[in-house]
Amino acid sequence: SIGLGLIILINKKAGVAWKTIKEKLPVFLVLGLINIALPFSLISWAEQFIDSGTAAILNGSMPLFTVFLSPIFLKDERISLPKMAGLVIGFLGVVLLMAPSIQNKWSSNLIGQFASLLASIFYAASTIFARKKTGGIPAEIQAFLQLSSGALIIWIYAFFTERPFILPQSSLTWLSLLWLGVLGSCFAYIIYFYLLHKIGTTRTSMITYIPPLIGMLLGVGFLKEQFYWQALV
């Protein structure tokens, strides 16, 4: 949020359409909840039980839910035979990935996978909601309002649930937070909101097909995570 605030001030866009911004504040509170607070929390919780590669692959299922939900709520997003085929193949991939855990019944691993999958559903829903409700505002301001709302919700939640409330002690943790905040959220969400209104929800959601490959390779290479043939398929 701080990074986005600085970008807005540097670009002198802070005074753009304040009336429009005030009218849409409830929209960004909803987005802060379903596109930041809930999925961030679900993924962070899930990765206590599943490795980073699996979490990345399940996060990559977001386009499946976007393709399925978009035609219901957006008139310019039509379902087609190729999209339907992709939806079926992608869904089979998710089932294949989760099959070993399903065989072990309700293990913590399976619950973690469901939590990560639920985060993807929230991402898909928020993408459609943002496309419908956030037009007419620069991408930087949209990203700032959403991230600020999400951060506020998470801070309030953390103060009531974390006992005792402890800040990270490791310098590597702070470096990771800085990396995720500046690159993974600040710049990423500027691009996200720009593409959302430029090329639509389905094509924008396709960017989440990249993290599974990167997440799986980095998890195996740096975290010594086990490589499963299901993940490759």
Side-chain angles (χ1 to χ4, degrees), residues 39-40 42-62 94 97-98 109 112-120 123 208 210-216 219 223 225-226 228 231:
F40 280 24
L42 284 167
I43 292 171
S44 298
W45 181 82
E47 287 203 66
Q48 297 176 96
F49 311 106
I50 61 176
D51 58 44
S52 61
T54 301
I57 293 170
L58 290 171
N59 189 50
S61 67
M62 179 262 211
V94 173
L97 181 68
M98 298 180 69
N109 184 280
Q113 290 185 46
F114 271 118
S116 193
L117 205 58
L118 182 59
S120 294
Y123 278 138
T208 54
I210 300 172
L213 174 63
I214 304 301
M216 184 174 63
L223 300 179
E225 294 176 350
Q226 187 174 351
Y228 297 98

Side-chain angles (χ1 to χ4, degrees), residues 120-199:
S120 294
I121 296 174
F122 277 121
Y123 278 138
S126 62
T127 298
I128 297 166
F129 185 76
R131 176 71 191 280
K132 284 179 69 74
K133 301 290 186 180
T134 62
I137 300 175
E140 299 96 318
I141 296 179
Q142 293 183 51
F144 173 76
L145 292 173
Q146 175 194 252
L147 276 169
S148 298
S149 299
L152 178 64
I153 293 169
I154 289 175
W155 275 106
I156 293 173
Y157 174 78
F159 274 116
F160 280 100
T161 57
E162 297 294 325
R163 293 288 188 274
F165 188 83
I166 302 173
L167 291 173
Q169 302 298 313
S170 170
S171 56
L172 182 60
T173 302
W174 284 106
L175 181 62
S176 299
L177 290 171
L178 184 64
W179 178 276
L180 288 170
V182 176
L183 294 179
S185 295
C186 176
F187 291 112
Y189 273 114
I190 292 175
I191 298 170
Y192 167 83
F193 279 107
Y194 170 78
L195 290 175
L196 194 59
H197 296 286
K198 192 79 172 177
I199 64 174

Side-chain angles (χ1 to χ4, degrees), residues 26-138:
V27 170
F28 288 102
L29 281 171
V30 173
L31 281 175
L33 177 65
I34 65 174
N35 202 32
I36 301 293
L38 287 174
F40 280 24
S41 299
L42 284 167
I43 292 171
S44 298
W45 181 82
E47 287 203 66
Q48 297 176 96
F49 311 106
I50 61 176
D51 58 44
S52 61
T54 301
I57 293 170
L58 290 171
N59 189 50
S61 67
M62 179 262 211
L64 308 180
F65 300 110
T66 305
V67 169
F68 179 75
L69 294 172
S70 290
I72 300 173
F73 299 100
L74 299 171
K75 294 181 180 179
D76 58 343
E77 297 279 349
R78 297 277 184 256
I79 193 73
S80 63
L81 189 59
K83 283 184 180 180
M84 184 60 70
L87 190 66
V88 172
I89 293 170
F91 178 74
L92 291 175
V94 173
V95 172
L96 180 65
L97 181 68
M98 298 180 69
S101 298
I102 292 173
Q103 291 174 357
N104 293 328
K105 299 182 179 180
W106 283 101
S107 64
S108 57
N109 184 280
L110 181 59
I111 295 171
Q113 290 185 46
F114 271 118
S116 193
L117 205 58
L118 182 59
S120 294
I121 296 174
F122 277 121
Y123 278 138
S126 62
T127 298
I128 297 166
F129 185 76
R131 176 71 191 280
K132 284 179 69 74
K133 301 290 186 180
T134 62
I137 300 175

